[in-house]
């Protein structure tokens, strides 16, 4: 052994590259990137007048005429007694 060169014994190795004390492989901390489920995007639909606005952060928002079947009923004015009942 060369006295000036650092040998494997100086670092705690016995010279054999295949030591009997191998560490087991680590378990991944994060799931495999190729097998993840896509995140659910929160889409919202809003009716304003005769239009239906769909807000979608992934695919983009769009506005179109609201189909008659999806239009909400027009709001009606409540009488004073009905307003008091609704407040309770």
């Amino acid at each position: 052994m060369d006295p000036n060169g650092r040998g494997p014994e100086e670092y705690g190795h016995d010279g054999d590259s295949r030591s009997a004390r191998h560490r087991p492989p680590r378990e991944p901390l994060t799931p495999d990137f190729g097998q993840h489920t896509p995140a659910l995007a929160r889409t919202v639909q809003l009716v304003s007048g005769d239009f239906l606005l769909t807000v979608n952060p992934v695919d983009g928002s769009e506005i179109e005429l609201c189909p008659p079947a999806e239009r909400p009923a027009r709001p009606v004015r409540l009488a004073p007694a009905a307003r008091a009942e609704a407040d309770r």
Side-chain angles (χ1 to χ4, degrees):
M1 188 94 230
D2 183 13
N4 294 327
R6 295 180 176 166
E9 65 277 351
E10 194 171 334
Y11 294 106
H13 301 287
D14 57 356
D16 184 20
S17 63
R18 295 192 173 250
S19 172
R21 295 184 301 157
H22 282 285
R23 283 190 356 196
R26 289 186 189 177
E27 292 183 23
L29 298 176
T30 58
D32 187 15
F33 290 114
Q35 298 179 359
H36 71 283
T37 57
L40 297 175
R42 177 178 276 172
T43 59
V44 177
Q45 290 187 333
L46 173 73
V47 176
S48 177
D50 293 335
F51 297 102
L52 174 66
L53 172 67
T54 304
V55 179
N56 187 343
V58 176
D59 297 329
S61 300
E62 61 183 36
I63 189 166
E64 58 189 350
L65 286 175
C66 186
E70 294 186 26
R71 277 192 198 146
R74 297 261 181 208
V76 295
R77 177 166 252 162
L78 298 176
R83 281 195 299 252
E85 182 67 27
D87 288 341
R88 284 192 270 173

